[in-house]
Amino acid sequence: MSADEQPIASVWTRPRRQREQLSREQIVSEAVALLDAEGLEALSMRRLGTRLGAGATSLYRHVANKDELIELVVDEVYGELEVPAADEAAGWRSAAGRSGASLRSMALRHPWVASVLGQVGLAHLGPNVMRMSERMLAVFKSAGFAPDEADQAMSTLIAYVIGMATSEAAYLSLIARSGKSEQEFVESLRTSQERLRLPEGQAVQHGKDPRQIREDNFDYGLQRVLDGLEARLRSTNGQ
């Protein structure tokens, strides 16, 4: 077989091993738990093997390297997404908004995921990622976007969500390291900002639930992205 005919190396392009004592599902589940608890820096085949009570060699029977493992865990958490169907044009905006909110929730449950999305090779071949992409693409097609532009509209929405979730996850990680609750952390910021006499627009909002503020800020941006896509759709369709 020539070099041009060689398949691209990926966990998705290689047959699965059967009847092994340690299953791929066990490996992926434990890897997600490790990532959620300790972050990407803690993930190694040796560390994962120890948690599973198996040698790293046992893991290599299922995944060739850490990159392939990351492909698997990314696809695993994408299986948590809820992408509602939009069977008619009138429902596309609600379906797209709920999809974006579901993606954000997943990224906050698994804050390591945003940092690896551009580094996971053929993660887009994973069954959960493909299913999510197909369903989201169907939402934008149902709205009336042409196939190529439906893909661009979907990518625009995802880029906004991942960008916001990455910043939010980093903020929540900072709070976790401080040992304070989010409310306590925000109050300590407010005290510092009062001393600095920051302009009103830069100051922490007093008396408001910080979690609700994050929700509102995310939804504001999400709705403006959808406003832009809706305006584009109207102009394209001559409305």
Side-chain angles (χ1 to χ4, degrees), residues 214-234:
R214 289 190 287 108
E215 296 275 354
D216 292 345
N217 288 343
F218 171 80
D219 189 61
Y220 177 85
L222 177 63
Q223 296 307 320
R224 301 298 73 79
V225 170
L226 294 174
D227 284 345
L229 293 174
E230 190 169 34
R232 169 63 180 169
L233 190 61
R234 287 174 177 171

Side-chain angles (χ1 to χ4, degrees), residues 88-223:
E88 54 185 33
W92 80 270
R93 178 165 177 148
S94 174
R98 288 167 61 190
S99 300
S102 180
L103 177 57
R104 168 185 176 260
S105 295
M106 181 275 281
L108 292 183
R109 285 193 299 272
H110 309 290
W112 49 269
V113 73
S115 65
V116 301
L117 286 179
Q119 308 171 33
V120 290
L122 300 184
H124 63 279
L125 295 182
N128 289 326
V129 174
M130 288 179 67
R131 191 178 305 113
M132 181 277 295
S133 298
E134 288 170 1
R135 288 181 65 87
M136 284 192 72
L137 199 58
V139 167
F140 288 103
K141 286 180 179 178
S142 75
F145 285 101
D148 287 348
E149 191 162 1
D151 186 65
Q152 292 173 321
M154 178 182 72
S155 297
T156 298
L157 176 65
I158 291 173
Y160 166 74
V161 174
I162 292 299
M164 286 291 288
T166 300
S167 176
E168 200 172 350
Y171 166 73
L172 293 175
S173 177
L174 174 65
I175 292 174
R177 292 196 301 272
S178 76
K180 299 179 180 179
S181 70
E182 185 173 3
Q183 187 67 51
E184 292 169 340
F185 186 83
V186 168
E187 288 300 321
S188 66
L189 279 181
R190 186 179 63 82
T191 301
S192 298
Q193 290 175 345
E194 285 176 349
R195 293 196 190 102
L196 294 172
R197 297 182 181 180
L198 290 178
E200 184 177 349
Q202 298 179 29
V204 172
Q205 300 177 53
H206 179 52
K208 291 189 177 181
D209 179 0
R211 181 172 181 175
Q212 187 60 52
I213 292 171
R214 289 190 287 108
E215 296 275 354
D216 292 345
N217 288 343
F218 171 80
D219 189 61
Y220 177 85
L222 177 63
Q223 296 307 320

Side-chain angles (χ1 to χ4, degrees), residues 38-116:
E38 301 185 43
L40 187 62
E41 298 77 10
L43 181 64
S44 70
M45 302 296 273
R46 183 186 298 275
R47 181 77 178 279
L48 186 57
T50 299
R51 287 174 64 106
L52 287 163
T57 303
S58 298
L59 274 63
Y60 286 121
R61 295 194 183 105
H62 296 273
V63 288
N65 48 47
K66 183 177 175 180
D67 288 344
E68 287 196 355
L69 179 60
I70 291 176
E71 287 187 49
L72 288 167
V73 294
V74 167
D75 191 71
E76 180 74 7
V77 298
Y78 263 78
E80 300 173 10
L81 296 187
E82 297 179 8
V83 181
D87 298 326
E88 54 185 33
W92 80 270
R93 178 165 177 148
S94 174
R98 288 167 61 190
S99 300
S102 180
L103 177 57
R104 168 185 176 260
S105 295
M106 181 275 281
L108 292 183
R109 285 193 299 272
H110 309 290
W112 49 269
V113 73
S115 65
V116 301

